[in-house]
Amino acid sequence: MNFGAIKKFDIADGLGVRVSLFVSGCRNHCKGCQNPETWDFAYGKQFTPETEREILEALAPDYIAGLTVLGGEPFEEENQRVLAPFLEKVKQTYPQKDIWCYTGYVYEKDLLAANGKKHCDVTDRMLSAIDTLVDGPYIEDLRDLSLDFRGSSNQRILHLRENKS
């Protein structure tokens, strides 16, 4: 898996000050996407054990609320297979911090259902590590700048579990 960027002080992509990982690769190609360069699976740098350590270190300060994963598309199967064990490691290391994830897919239809478009052998593991999921494709005609943490009104903020903090 490749990634386009790591933001170590992000306040736009979830509650509180966050570390955000922008993964590469997306097959949705939403019209008006704010990160079209991340559609390419080869964009950016390779996600390595050193990348994992860098993110885990960036999550350490008490003022960091948690990790946000976006892209690109975290739920492309190639990305899930790298992200699932990494998100489990984040949860194990920092159980008091939350994980947010953005996806252009729909939770119930594409991810949760065993026959869903993006459900694969590690999807359940990945979903188990995520506290808050922002789902749904960005739809340019539904763009709404007044929404918190979303770009278009069809997108939802789903609290998959309450944070333990």
Side-chain angles (χ1 to χ4, degrees):
M1 177 182 85
N2 280 14
F3 68 97
I6 297 168
K7 291 185 180 178
K8 296 183 180 173
F9 305 98
D10 187 358
I11 59 168
D13 297 310
L15 291 174
V17 180
R18 313 188 65 74
V19 175
S20 293
L21 170 65
F22 291 78
V23 301
S24 297
C26 182
R27 294 182 177 94
N28 285 323
H29 298 187
C30 299
K31 180 182 176 189
C33 173
Q34 69 177 18
N35 299 316
E37 65 279 0
T38 65
W39 295 351
D40 181 353
F41 283 84
Y43 176 75
K45 301 176 192 171
Q46 185 176 11
F47 189 86
T48 64
E50 291 78 26
T51 311
E52 282 193 11
R53 281 193 291 279
E54 177 184 352
I55 293 170
L56 288 170
E57 287 175 14
L59 286 165
D62 288 341
Y63 61 85
I64 298 292
L67 174 69
T68 298
V69 182
L70 58 173
E73 175 54 60
F75 279 94
E76 296 297 359
E77 293 86 340
E78 302 92 320
N79 293 341
Q80 287 188 57
R81 289 191 175 92
V82 175
L83 288 170
F86 173 63
L87 296 182
E88 289 170 341
K89 186 181 290 184
V90 170
K91 274 295 186 197
Q92 181 179 14
T93 307
Y94 300 108
Q96 75 282 15
K97 299 189 186 246
D98 63 357
I99 296 176
W100 281 52
C101 185
Y102 284 73
T103 181
Y105 295 104
V106 176
Y107 175 63
E108 298 86 355
K109 181 178 83 170
D110 299 321
L111 306 177
L112 194 59
N115 62 346
K117 185 177 186 178
K118 289 296 163 179
H119 193 279
C120 71
D121 57 316
V122 296
T123 303
D124 293 337
R125 286 175 58 195
M126 191 160 148
L127 288 170
S128 292
I130 295 168
D131 298 288
T132 301
L133 182 73
V134 181
D135 83 334
Y138 172 73
I139 299 176
E140 194 171 42
D141 290 342
L142 299 177
R143 181 176 187 221
D144 185 344
L145 296 177
S146 71
L147 298 171
D148 288 336
F149 310 120
R150 293 165 289 162
S152 58
S153 60
N154 63 297
Q155 295 173 316
R156 304 178 298 169
I157 298 174
L158 303 173
H159 301 285
L160 302 184
R161 65 202 38 79
E162 292 301 316
N163 193 5
K164 298 175 191 169
S165 61

